[in-house]
Amino acid sequence: MSSLRHHDYQLTLPSIPAGGLLGVPLKLDSDAPFILQRIKARAPGVPSGAFPWRFQNRRNQWQSSQLRTEAPEPYSILDPNLEYPINGTIICDIGNTTGETITNGRLLFRGSKLFTDGAITAPTYPPRFSDLPYHFQVSVLNVVGGTVTGPMASFGVGRIENQLRITSKADLALRYAVCDPFTLGVEGGPVNTGAPIPSISYPGANFTDVWVLLKDQQLRPYSNEPIHVDDLFGRQFGANVVPVNFQPGTFQPEIYLQRDHSLYFDVYRSDPASMGSVNLLFRFGGAQVILS
Amino acid sequence: MKLTDPTRFFKPQWAYETPDGFRDETILIDFKFTVSGTGNPGQSVNLPWQLDDDQPFILRAIFFPQLGIGVDINNNLLTTPGLCRIWDTSGNPLSEGQILSLGAWCGNTIDNAAGAFGFPVEPDVTCSPGGALRFDFQLSTNARPAQAIVNGAGASLIFLRNIFGTAGNDLTSIELIDPGAPNIPLSVAVVAPRHVQVTLATDGASAITSTFPDVAAIINGDAAAGALIFAIAQGSTTEVITAHGQTNLVGGAAAEDIEVRGTLIGVKRFPECL
């Protein structure tokens, strides 16, 4: 028997020179093998196709003979999945055809860690149960961006250990989440006047770059570094308050949260402080698991 | 690696077959509610929608294109998302309190509400014959703030009273002043009680140099003026603005009820003998 736990690895490249980088290693953790399921590339402001990539499997064979240039949406799915060993390394080639240096290009490797049975606390469904769709909402208010120094420099100002506590009468199998900026307008109350797009009511202020690091009740992270909310979750209001093609980031396997237990999440914002503060509404969706 | 343990992994609802001895028939159920447009809590709760009493209804998706429809300052149609909670026919809430509907019950546009398939309700919800789904809403207000507009050749500046509704019809005013002197910097001042004066910048020849975005920025960035007025510059970013006499912000309007329409998408489950 073994236990799967959702996990993301992200390779952040602070500076990618014109022409690209060859053989960049992404070191994997020492606690469990990694099952790679999906891949996504992120390089804001870079034209589609100008940030190509490829990577190696566990036997140091290239997964594609040439650099891949998929559009950033949706994920590239690996079926069958690829397994990497404990302490493994994913070797990546990164292209850059812009003729200029790319700053903070990222490759996101989504998947699961495969633990031996008993190695981690892994609650799961009871033998018999009923289920209902269910959502929790956690509001993180007045999130301001800005610059910081040190290892979190590319993620901005942090708001640490926000809490989703399962206060309902049953467990929650968390399957996806979505994050949107929103401030409810009330008659007689203030007009929502957020930057960058002036909107008299909806969604109020907006954001471009918000990053989230999920952690379990013991504060063990579900990724090696914060992941952009558009990749980890998804949102309905695009950065310019235009409709976006909503593609929620799903958890595979789902994150099973027991009643009266918590999921924690650190929120970072790297937008300029001049964009002002934003109210972020996180909705965590899945199934309420009711004993029957 | 195959992920096949049925007790541990997500199964999309299409993986569940109709039980033996039953036949599912697709059905769409339209619903409509009148919801308060004030944005205040507790005004639009426990709104029931009665289902047919012949067979169970299996709810699998909601098409919620009008979870409030609003109009922006340019009369462009906007979706106006708000908070929502749905209760099943057994009285179980489907969320912990009211939650922002986007991404939970609906998409942000008609096209993005997942089209003909609606926004998925996953796992599906079995509704008893003759039961009623109940809805709670708290939508953002559609009360309109008072405003004034200054138009240029290719740009405009909209001044919004920074409060929703008729409370903003309080003689708040705006004035753009040509100082008539050289090398004057752009500045803003609030003259009691609610008169916002902007003194426009000039060059060495006393010609005005302030642009529409310059004026918006100095108002929004000033604590006193920004508390009264929110300025939105539109159009050209380089066009120089001209002086404008004192003008009251007017037209603040009370909230109106919002009609929320939608469609429940699912199946009715019949015994095979019917």
Side-chain angles (χ1 to χ4, degrees):
Chain A
M1 287 289 290
S2 58
S3 298
L4 277 173
R5 171 187 159 102
H6 174 84
H7 197 82
D8 296 322
Y9 285 104
Q10 185 167 256
L11 176 64
T12 296
L13 300 159
S15 178
I16 307 169
L21 294 168
L22 299 178
V24 181
L26 172 63
K27 186 68 178 169
L28 306 183
D29 292 341
S30 60
D31 55 355
F34 179 61
I35 312 296
L36 176 59
Q37 298 160 341
R38 290 171 287 172
I39 299 174
K40 193 170 193 177
R42 166 173 290 275
V46 176
S48 179
F51 179 57
W53 47 271
R54 66 174 180 169
F55 64 97
Q56 292 182 354
N57 62 19
R58 63 184 296 169
R59 292 178 294 278
N60 294 114
Q61 300 164 321
W62 291 109
Q63 190 267 342
S64 56
S65 57
Q66 302 293 324
L67 294 173
R68 298 170 61 171
T69 58
E70 284 100 323
E73 304 285 350
Y75 283 98
S76 298
I77 296 174
L78 292 164
D79 186 14
N81 305 152
L82 289 178
E83 182 173 343
Y84 292 86
I86 289 176
N87 279 323
T89 301
I90 302 177
I91 303 293
C92 306
D93 280 354
I94 311 293
N96 175 4
T97 61
T98 64
E100 302 173 350
T101 298
I102 294 176
T103 302
N104 289 330
R106 289 179 166 92
L107 283 182
L108 175 60
F109 297 86
R110 304 205 78 181
S112 308
K113 282 185 174 180
L114 181 64
F115 289 93
T116 56
D117 202 29
I120 57 169
T121 303
T124 189
Y125 296 96
R128 293 179 58 82
F129 63 91
S130 301
D131 57 359
L132 271 179
Y134 209 77
H135 288 87
F136 284 84
Q137 178 169 288
V138 179
S139 300
V140 182
L141 304 179
N142 302 315
V143 177
V144 181
T147 56
V148 297
T149 57
M152 305 306 286
S154 67
F155 301 107
V157 179
R159 294 276 291 273
I160 308 301
E161 290 174 13
N162 306 283
Q163 183 181 23
L164 163 65
R165 185 161 182 84
I166 306 305
T167 53
S168 59
K169 62 184 180 183
D171 298 347
L172 179 76
L174 176 63
R175 292 170 173 167
Y176 83 101
V178 55
C179 169
D180 278 296
F182 189 70
T183 302
L184 190 87
V186 178
E187 184 172 23
V191 170
N192 305 325
T193 53
I197 300 297
S199 166
I200 62 168
S201 54
Y202 318 106
N206 209 330
F207 66 88
T208 301
D209 289 318
V210 166
W211 313 81
V212 171
L213 179 65
L214 287 174
K215 302 173 182 175
D216 64 15
Q217 172 135 320
Q218 288 75 41
L219 302 180
R220 289 176 304 198
Y222 285 95
S223 58
N224 65 323
E225 61 182 35
I227 310 296
H228 198 286
V229 286
D230 288 355
D231 301 333
L232 183 64
F233 295 161
R235 63 171 147 166
Q236 291 272 283
F237 282 121
N240 295 314
V241 203
V242 295
V244 295
N245 187 12
F246 178 48
Q247 294 169 323
T250 53
F251 301 113
Q252 175 65 29
E254 54 260 65
I255 297 175
Y256 195 92
L257 299 170
Q258 293 174 293
R259 174 186 173 190
D260 292 329
H261 284 59
S262 295
L263 178 78
Y264 294 93
F265 58 105
D266 300 344
V267 176
Y268 297 86
R269 186 175 182 203
S270 56
D271 292 327
S274 59
M275 284 180 66
S277 69
V278 62
N279 295 332
L280 299 177
L281 273 58
F282 293 86
R283 279 134 295 143
F284 297 90
Q288 196 176 48
V289 180
I290 304 164
L291 286 172
S292 59
Chain B
M1 176 178 184
K2 292 292 184 184
L3 306 179
T4 55
D5 183 342
T7 67
R8 284 204 327 208
F9 299 110
F10 169 70
K11 283 200 300 188
Q13 54 189 252
W14 45 260
Y16 294 88
E17 297 182 354
T18 304
D20 289 342
F22 291 88
R23 181 184 77 251
D24 286 347
E25 293 184 0
T26 300
I27 183 169
L28 307 179
I29 302 171
D30 291 338
F31 62 87
K32 181 174 70 175
F33 296 111
T34 299
V35 174
S36 166
T38 67
N40 290 315
Q43 295 192 336
S44 302
V45 298
N46 260 328
L47 305 176
W49 196 258
Q50 181 101 27
L51 303 173
D52 292 346
D53 61 2
D54 54 350
Q55 302 297 333
F57 171 63
I58 316 297
L59 174 63
R60 290 183 169 161
I62 295 180
F63 184 50
F64 233 159
Q66 288 184 303
L67 192 48
I69 291 293
V71 177
D72 73 7
I73 54 178
N74 296 317
N75 282 329
N76 297 314
L77 202 61
L78 295 174
T79 55
T80 56
L83 309 181
C84 176
R85 173 163 53 178
I86 303 175
W87 305 73
D88 73 5
T89 55
S90 299
N92 298 306
L94 303 185
S95 62
E96 196 76 1
Q98 294 189 52
I99 60 173
L100 179 60
S101 53
L102 288 172
W105 305 123
C106 64
N108 65 353
T109 69
I110 292 174
D111 288 340
N112 200 22
F117 297 103
F119 199 90
V121 175
E122 172 60 50
D124 54 20
V125 177
T126 300
C127 303
S128 55
L133 293 166
R134 287 183 294 128
F135 295 78
D136 301 339
F137 294 105
Q138 186 183 357
L139 304 184
S140 270
T141 184
N142 57 7
R144 294 173 66 90
Q147 63 177 275
I149 301 177
V150 170
N151 289 311
S156 61
L157 197 51
I158 302 168
F159 302 98
L160 293 177
R161 180 69 176 94
N162 204 348
I163 187 171
F164 281 114
T166 56
N169 298 328
D170 56 359
L171 302 180
T172 298
S173 57
I174 181 76
E175 181 179 12
L176 309 182
I177 299 171
D178 180 352
N183 300 316
I184 300 297
L186 180 64
S187 63
V188 63
V190 177
V191 179
R194 287 181 293 276
H195 177 47
V196 177
Q197 288 182 322
V198 177
T199 301
L200 303 174
T202 58
D203 61 13
S206 301
I208 295 172
T209 58
S210 297
T211 64
F212 284 71
D214 290 340
V215 174
I218 198 167
I219 291 175
N220 295 338
D222 182 82
L228 292 171
I229 291 177
F230 182 58
I232 304 171
Q234 296 182 323
S236 169
T237 58
T238 57
E239 183 176 334
V240 172
I241 203 166
T242 56
H244 198 82
Q246 181 174 354
T247 304
N248 287 338
L249 276 61
V250 297
E256 298 177 353
D257 286 346
I258 299 171
E259 184 178 87
V260 172
R261 292 184 286 116
T263 303
L264 308 172
I265 300 172
V267 298
K268 275 189 179 180
R269 180 155 290 168
F270 293 88
E272 279 288 10
C273 58
L274 297 179

